[in-house]
Amino acid sequence: MQFGWYINDWANAAFSATVLTVFLGPYLTEVAKNAADASGDVHPLGLTIRAGSFFPYTVSFSVLISVAVMLLTGTVADRTGRHKELMCGFAYVGALATMGMFLLHGDRYLLGGALLVVANIAYAVSVALSYAYLPGLAAPDERDAVSSKGWAYGYAGGGLLLIANLALFQGHDALGLSSGTAVRICLASAGLWWALFTVVPMLRLPSRAGVVRERGAAAPDQPAAGSLRELGRTLKGMRKHPLTLLYLAAFLCYNDGIQTVVSQASLYGSEELGMEQTSLVIAVLMVQIVAIGGALLLGRIARRYGAKKTILGSLVGWVVTLALGYFMPAHQPAWFYALACMIGLVLGGSQALSRSLFSHLIPAGREAEYFSVYKVSDRGTSWMGPLVFGLAYQITGSYRSAIISLLIFFVIGFAVLVKVPVRRAIEAVGNPVPERL
């Protein structure tokens, strides 16, 4: 069962790496610039925004919608026990939308924005439902290792596809393709990869993620018609676990910063640092490779020092990395590659350990609902960060100002996480406490 779960990360990581992190940001920005007026503005739905802000604003908009969809779908999954069917169904919706990005060219930025919204919502819901499997996959003391291994599989899968896409992009002239056509093929390949490998979790995972339900929760054979009422009860019931909410607040804050760095890194590299597309792909590939080792390394460190202390240490690493990125000289690929390695070192571990730590703070039987809330700011679905990033660029016209504005998310997230009494929080929801925290 664990293997099927690992391969699910392997499958959907293609969207995160190839689409969100590498190709779509710079390419969609270029398409938006083709449609811009003389002032460099585009006018989606009658709004006036800089063409350079269209991509981060679209990411932010997609997340605002995905919040409601994730919460409702998580409630339906826990009520009906059809976690796998919903997870794979949304995965295939996202994969089809991603494959549709092959049609993105010229000045069709609205098409690109619409496909991004659909794909990012589907990705968020699918991944949230996959997270709900973690409590049933491993004992409390094993979850850090299992979660870290899942992230390692994801980075390996995403990195393997990136290698193929890098070869395609570098050889597009020899293949008789324009650079734009090569990018469109790379985008579509992520959707195809996602669809093909989702077959494995469909065959290997059980329909239901959890087994034991919280007392008083709806039985799994009840129809989903009352899911809106159940959702209201879930949100109200979360107030019974204030320490879980405190941890969630810390995670939503610092991970919003992480995901914005990941999703806007290629845009920053291309527009501010003058990096070529090939350099961007190499840098992200380095992130993928280093993140495999980083996830496993921080998982080992957590065995000795506990997940909370290890996460706090990784946040310090993020602050240093972001500060170095602000002062990064333009047109210097070697420095950009070094920055990519630093990001990879802290990226996988901080996210894997955050996921496993949160799994201890969830009442039994509410896995999908709670992880749907958790997923609001996870793996490319943040909205506050892209909004701040886009506004900073809108006001200053500088991507350096935009990137340094994200420091606030890491500082606040660190300060809140320090105050979370993890052992008490686990005991409060009735779960066994692991030896190391």
Side-chain angles (χ1 to χ4, degrees):
M1 189 165 70
Q2 287 182 357
F3 178 73
W5 191 69
Y6 294 151
I7 294 299
N8 192 64
D9 268 1
W10 172 285
N12 61 46
F15 174 78
S16 176
T18 293
V19 178
L20 283 181
T21 308
V22 180
F23 287 105
L24 188 59
Y27 185 68
L28 183 56
T29 299
E30 189 62 33
V31 172
K33 287 180 177 179
N34 291 339
D37 59 21
S39 300
D41 297 329
V42 290
H43 307 277
L45 305 178
L47 301 174
T48 299
I49 62 174
R50 284 178 180 259
S53 295
F54 180 72
F55 175 70
Y57 282 168
T58 303
V59 172
S60 185
F61 175 72
S62 71
V63 176
L64 290 175
I65 300 175
S66 71
V67 171
V69 179
M70 281 191 294
L71 290 173
L72 183 58
T73 305
T75 304
V76 172
D78 283 337
R79 286 178 62 86
T80 64
R82 298 187 178 276
H83 295 81
K84 181 176 71 174
E85 290 82 355
L86 288 167
M87 180 185 76
C88 294
F90 274 97
Y92 279 109
V93 170
L96 287 172
T98 304
M99 285 187 276
M101 292 177 185
F102 180 78
L103 303 175
L104 178 60
H105 60 85
D107 60 357
R108 305 171 74 178
Y109 76 101
L110 288 176
L111 173 64
L115 291 172
L116 172 58
V117 168
V118 173
N120 208 26
I121 291 172
Y123 169 78
V125 176
S126 178
V127 173
L129 292 172
S130 76
Y131 285 4
Y133 279 91
L134 181 57
L137 289 173
D141 288 316
E142 299 173 346
R143 286 184 199 167
D144 289 345
V146 170
S147 182
S148 296
K149 191 173 181 180
W151 279 101
Y153 263 82
Y155 287 120
L160 185 60
L161 182 62
L162 270 181
I163 292 174
N165 285 333
L166 176 59
L168 172 65
F169 186 81
Q170 286 186 316
H172 67 81
D173 285 333
L175 296 172
L177 302 173
S178 68
S179 60
T181 301
V183 169
R184 289 160 51 209
I185 292 174
C186 292
L187 292 171
S189 73
L192 182 60
W193 177 284
W194 191 2
L196 287 176
F197 285 103
T198 295
V199 172
V200 177
M202 283 181 64
L203 297 177
R204 299 293 292 268
L205 291 177
S207 287
R208 184 166 189 81
V211 177
V212 181
R213 294 192 59 80
E214 189 181 50
R215 183 180 301 174
D221 58 349
Q222 286 184 291
S227 293
L228 285 174
R229 291 192 299 273
E230 183 73 8
L231 174 59
R233 285 195 292 269
T234 296
L235 296 176
K236 184 178 180 179
M238 290 181 75
R239 292 185 295 178
K240 298 178 182 177
H241 308 293
L243 298 180
T244 298
L245 291 178
L246 185 62
Y247 172 81
L248 188 60
F251 172 79
L252 293 181
C253 189
Y254 70 73
N255 202 54
D256 224 304
I258 292 174
Q259 292 308 320
T260 306
V261 172
V262 171
S263 65
Q264 308 302 323
S266 291
L267 186 61
Y268 180 71
S270 63
E271 297 295 320
E272 187 68 38
L273 302 181
M275 296 296 156
E276 299 292 336
Q277 186 72 62
T278 299
S279 297
L280 294 175
V281 177
I282 292 174
V284 174
L285 181 57
M286 293 176 71
V287 170
Q288 299 290 118
I289 294 172
V290 175
I292 297 172
L296 298 176
L297 174 63
L298 266 66
R300 284 182 171 272
I301 294 174
R303 289 183 185 178
R304 181 169 183 178
Y305 297 103
K308 178 182 173 180
K309 290 180 181 178
T310 307
I311 294 170
L312 289 171
S314 74
L315 294 183
V316 174
W318 274 108
V319 170
V320 173
T321 301
L322 206 61
L324 291 176
Y326 175 79
F327 292 106
M328 186 71 57
H331 308 291
Q332 297 290 331
W335 286 101
F336 193 60
Y337 297 154
L339 183 66
C341 289
M342 294 182 64
I343 291 175
L345 189 62
V346 292
L347 176 61
S350 58
Q351 294 182 310
L353 295 176
S354 296
R355 176 172 66 179
S356 60
L357 184 55
F358 185 68
S359 73
H360 295 292
L361 309 180
I362 301 172
R366 298 289 188 178
E367 293 87 0
E369 296 165 35
Y370 273 70
F371 267 118
S372 293
V373 178
Y374 176 93
K375 187 66 185 70
V376 167
S377 187
D378 188 36
R379 265 181 122 173
T381 60
S382 59
W383 69 272
M384 291 183 294
L387 182 61
V388 169
F389 186 92
L391 285 173
Y393 177 76
Q394 180 95 7
I395 294 170
T396 67
S398 169
Y399 283 108
R400 290 187 188 272
S401 298
I403 203 72
I404 203 65
S405 70
L406 302 177
L407 272 177
I408 189 66
F409 293 99
F410 295 99
V411 173
I412 294 177
F414 183 98
V416 176
L417 182 58
V418 166
K419 295 183 176 296
V420 178
V422 175
R423 184 174 297 275
R424 253 195 312 137
I426 296 174
E427 293 171 346
V429 297
N431 288 332
V433 180
E435 291 185 12
R436 292 282 184 188
L437 290 174

